[in-house]
Amino acid sequence: KAGVTQTPRYLIKTRGQQVTLSCSPISGHRSVSWYQQTPGQGLQFLFEYFSETQRNKGNFPGRFSGRQFSNSRSEMNVSTLELGDSALYLCASSLVASGKTDTQYFGPGTRLTVL
Amino acid sequence: AQKITQTQPGMFVQEKEAVTLDCTYDTSDPSYGLFWYKQPSSGEMIFLIYQGSYDQQNATEGRYSLNFQKARKSANLVISASQLGDSAMYFCAMRRGSTLGRLYFGRGTQLTVWP
């Protein structure tokens, strides 16, 4: 079974631009979560989606948004990019099934550099 | 508030030796899950092991075992027979409840295995 895939893997943007990152979960997984990882702040939670609904949102400004589609694929968008948005963006998917441990499996990440 | 503490920024171990990576957590929830992930320099977070708060026995997965001491709120990862490929960043994480929900991460421990 294929793992979580994220596209693109690397991205270079300039300040003020916007960017869209994509995440395809493991087949059958219904929940997708997004995390931002930086050397200074560590791993920070962005969003959690389940059945196309945002269930949780981290403490990020409104420039960060996301959505989940009916096939469980997810996208996140960052508008008006700032230098501080440079980070590794990790997507994780989980099965969400009664009686099963709900483990989040991560993709390889998208490394975003803002110049 | 949920909090994960990893007090060892870096650890060194010789090949074939065992090593323990420390993790303490803080939560007032009776139901929670504890996870360990490995992150090589490539960036992908690899799931290693899970322990539920109601599990009576310590979790084991191959060379990985979790030393769960509920009263002390600690969930240390033990890696037996270390291999050079174990060199990576290791993160302890916690989730409230048994399903869905964001992960709270520690700052990580950089493990270096030397020959």
Side-chain angles (χ1 to χ4, degrees):
Chain A
K1 189 182 269 192
V4 178
T5 58
Q6 292 186 245
T7 56
R9 293 291 312 278
Y10 302 91
L11 208 48
I12 300 176
K13 293 285 188 179
T14 56
R15 280 179 297 174
Q17 288 187 307
Q18 76 165 22
V19 66
T20 299
L21 312 182
S22 181
C23 172
S24 293
I26 292 171
S27 177
H29 282 199
R30 299 187 291 159
S31 176
V32 171
S33 297
W34 290 89
Y35 297 85
Q36 181 198 64
Q37 185 177 26
T38 59
Q41 299 298 318
L43 282 148
Q44 295 187 283
F45 169 72
L46 282 157
F47 322 99
E48 178 189 39
Y49 289 92
F50 176 66
S51 293
E52 301 177 67
T53 301
Q54 187 180 91
R55 293 190 76 253
N56 283 301
K57 187 178 190 303
N59 189 25
F60 278 82
R63 300 185 296 106
F64 291 80
S65 62
R67 58 179 176 169
Q68 185 183 35
F69 301 96
S70 58
N71 62 358
S72 294
R73 191 177 69 85
S74 177
E75 288 181 348
M76 66 163 282
N77 184 77
V78 188
S79 63
T80 319
L81 284 166
E82 300 177 0
L83 295 179
D85 298 333
S86 295
L88 180 66
Y89 290 87
L90 292 163
C91 166
S93 76
S94 63
L95 181 63
V96 190
S98 176
K100 299 244 183 226
T101 298
D102 193 32
T103 297
Q104 292 190 14
Y105 295 92
F106 285 80
T110 294
R111 192 166 295 277
L112 172 65
T113 302
V114 182
L115 302 176
Chain B
Q2 327 307 313
K3 187 177 179 182
I4 296 285
T5 303
Q6 294 181 254
T7 57
Q8 307 154 315
M11 287 285 285
F12 294 84
V13 64
Q14 190 170 24
E15 203 176 6
K16 298 183 183 142
E17 297 294 310
V19 63
T20 298
L21 306 183
D22 294 342
C23 172
T24 58
Y25 60 93
D26 189 19
T27 181
S28 56
D29 294 304
S31 174
Y32 52 88
L34 296 158
F35 302 80
W36 277 91
Y37 288 88
K38 170 185 177 182
Q39 188 178 42
S41 56
S42 59
E44 182 169 356
M45 297 280 279
I46 302 166
F47 166 70
L48 296 177
I49 196 166
Y50 165 83
Q51 180 85 42
S53 60
Y54 294 120
D55 293 343
Q56 295 297 313
Q57 295 196 324
N58 288 342
T60 60
E61 288 286 350
R63 296 187 298 110
Y64 305 107
S65 60
L66 201 152
N67 184 1
F68 181 46
Q69 298 187 44
K70 194 170 182 177
R72 297 180 61 185
K73 293 189 175 180
S74 76
N76 298 338
L77 177 70
V78 180
I79 305 174
S80 63
S82 296
Q83 302 172 356
L84 295 178
D86 294 335
S87 292
M89 195 74 162
Y90 288 79
F91 290 95
C92 179
M94 179 176 67
R95 184 196 58 226
R96 300 169 66 185
S98 60
T99 188
L100 284 170
R102 60 162 291 183
L103 291 174
Y104 296 84
F105 283 92
R107 297 289 297 195
T109 295
Q110 179 68 48
L111 176 67
T112 302
V113 181
W114 52 284

